[in-house]
Amino acid sequence: MKKMELNKELLKKDAPIGVFDSGVGGLTVVREIIRQIPNEKIIYFGDTARVPYGSKSRDTVTRFSEQIVRFLRTFQVKTIVVACNTASAYALEALEQESDIPIIGVVRPGARTAAEVTRNGRIGVIATEATIGSQIYSEYIKKLKQNVTIYGKACPLLVPLVEEGLLEDPVTEEIARRYLSELIDIDIDTLILGCTHYPLVRSTLGRIMGPEVTLVNPAYETARELKELLAGLDLLNSQTPALGSNRYQFYVSDMAEKFLRFANSIIKYGILSARAINIEAY
C-alpha cells in the first residue's frame, strides 16, 4: 500500500512536534530534540497505563499507536515521532500509510548508524521481546550493509527497573550483566540500545561492555534525522517560542505525578505539569 501524500497546508513552521512512547523511555528522545533543535514546541504522550508494549501483540500495539496519533493530531502537530522501538517495529508502516503528515520512528536511524560504525560486522541489539522478535533491526541493517551478523537479546526486566527510577542501582547492574554476558562472549563491536529506556542506563551498559564496544543511541540519531527531515521540508521553527506559550506539554494515560517526577529528573528543564487523559476515547 502506498503512503498517503503529505498535506502541506497542514504543515506550519511554528506547529509543535508530537512524540509518543509506551511510558517514560521516549523522554530520552525529547531530551535530544530539545538539545538539537531547541526552537521546537513538543507535545509528548506516555502510555503509562498500558506499559510495557514489548510483551504485547502487533495488533494491540498498532491499535494503541493509532489512538495516540489521533490524540496528538488534535494539537495540529507538524510531525510525529514514534519514540518507542516496539511501536516503530510493529506500527510505523501502518501509521505512515494512514498519515498526511510526516511520521518517523526510532529504528531506522539507529540501524543506519550501527551499519556505519561497525568495524568487524558483529552488531548486538538489546531491546524488548517484541522488537527482537520482529527482526526489524536486522532487516534494516542488512539492507544497508550485507556483510554483517546481528545478535539480538531481549532484556525485558530493564524497562520496569528504569520506570522505577533504579538507574544506578546494583540490581539493575546485575540484571544487565546477566543479559549482556552472551553478547560479550561473541565479540560484538557495536551495541544498539534498541529501547528508548536504555539510554537512561547507558553508563552501566557501557561499563559492562567495555570501551571497545560502540553504543548506538537511537534517541540521539532520531533527533538528528528529525532535524534533517524538518529542514528538508522547510519546517524548522526559526523563532524561539515565547515564555508561557506551552512550549513543552506532557500527557499520560495514568500516574501523572509519578511521571512528572521522573520527567524532571531526566530532562532537567523544569516541567511544570503532566496531565492524565483517557486515551481510550481516541
Side-chain angles (χ1 to χ4, degrees):
M1 191 186 297
K2 258 175 49 174
K3 290 183 189 177
M4 188 179 287
E5 292 289 322
L6 295 183
N7 185 342
K8 296 193 175 170
E9 291 182 5
L10 295 175
L11 305 179
K12 311 291 184 187
K13 284 188 179 185
D14 63 350
I17 295 164
V19 181
F20 78 87
D21 180 51
S22 60
V24 302
L27 292 170
T28 60
V29 178
V30 171
R31 182 170 63 182
E32 290 297 339
I33 294 171
I34 291 171
R35 285 174 178 168
Q36 296 185 42
I37 35 179
N39 285 345
E40 301 299 334
K41 294 182 281 190
I42 298 169
I43 310 290
Y44 180 88
F45 178 80
D47 199 358
T48 47
R50 304 185 295 197
V51 69
Y53 281 10
S55 56
K56 294 178 172 63
S57 70
R58 179 184 295 271
D59 286 348
T60 296
V61 172
T62 300
R63 178 170 61 83
F64 288 176
S65 300
E66 288 170 340
Q67 288 176 331
I68 296 164
V69 166
R70 287 193 287 272
F71 168 68
L72 292 173
R73 292 293 301 263
T74 66
F75 294 91
Q76 287 77 52
V77 293
K78 62 185 175 184
T79 187
I80 290 175
V81 179
V82 184
C84 171
N85 282 265
T86 301
S88 293
Y90 277 177
L92 182 61
E93 188 175 346
L95 297 178
E96 288 176 326
Q97 289 168 354
E98 297 164 1
S99 179
D100 55 358
I101 65 171
I103 296 184
I104 68 170
V106 289
V107 172
R108 290 172 194 158
R112 185 179 63 244
T113 299
E116 290 169 357
V117 303
T118 184
R119 303 177 304 281
N120 69 5
R122 301 167 76 83
I123 299 171
V125 181
I126 54 173
T128 64
E129 292 173 17
T131 301
I132 295 300
S134 74
Q135 297 285 309
I136 191 80
Y137 273 103
S138 182
E139 180 185 319
Y140 283 144
I141 292 169
K142 289 189 174 180
K143 283 179 184 174
L144 299 167
K145 193 168 189 172
Q146 292 183 340
N147 212 13
V148 294
T149 307
I150 317 299
Y151 303 91
K153 177 65 181 175
C155 303
L157 291 176
L158 289 184
V159 169
L161 289 169
V162 168
E163 295 268 347
E164 286 300 316
L166 301 175
L167 305 183
E168 295 290 340
D169 194 274
V171 172
T172 303
E173 174 143 6
E174 174 60 25
I175 293 295
R177 199 171 288 280
R178 291 191 186 196
Y179 284 143
L180 295 174
S181 60
E182 64 190 67
L183 296 177
I184 295 171
D185 292 342
I186 55 181
D187 194 33
I188 63 167
D189 75 345
T190 303
L191 179 66
I192 299 173
L193 309 185
C195 173
T196 48
H197 288 70
Y198 298 172
L200 297 172
V201 288
R202 179 181 180 135
S203 60
T204 298
L205 301 175
R207 188 165 58 247
I208 294 168
M209 296 306 299
E212 296 303 310
V213 176
T214 300
L215 302 187
V216 174
N217 177 2
Y220 173 86
E221 305 302 337
T222 299
R224 193 172 70 162
E225 182 165 299
L226 175 64
K227 184 176 182 179
E228 291 172 3
L229 171 71
L230 295 177
L233 293 170
D234 193 27
L235 286 175
L236 284 172
N237 192 6
S238 55
Q239 304 293 321
T240 302
L243 289 173
S245 61
N246 287 327
R247 187 171 179 178
Y248 305 128
Q249 297 181 56
F250 295 86
Y251 297 87
V252 294
S253 48
D254 197 13
M255 299 180 295
E257 287 302 315
K258 181 178 178 181
F259 173 89
L260 183 61
R261 289 193 299 273
F262 196 91
N264 277 313
S265 72
I266 298 308
I267 295 180
K268 304 188 188 306
Y269 177 80
I271 297 164
L272 298 177
S273 67
R275 283 182 53 199
I277 58 114
N278 176 18
I279 194 62
E280 295 285 0
Y282 296 85

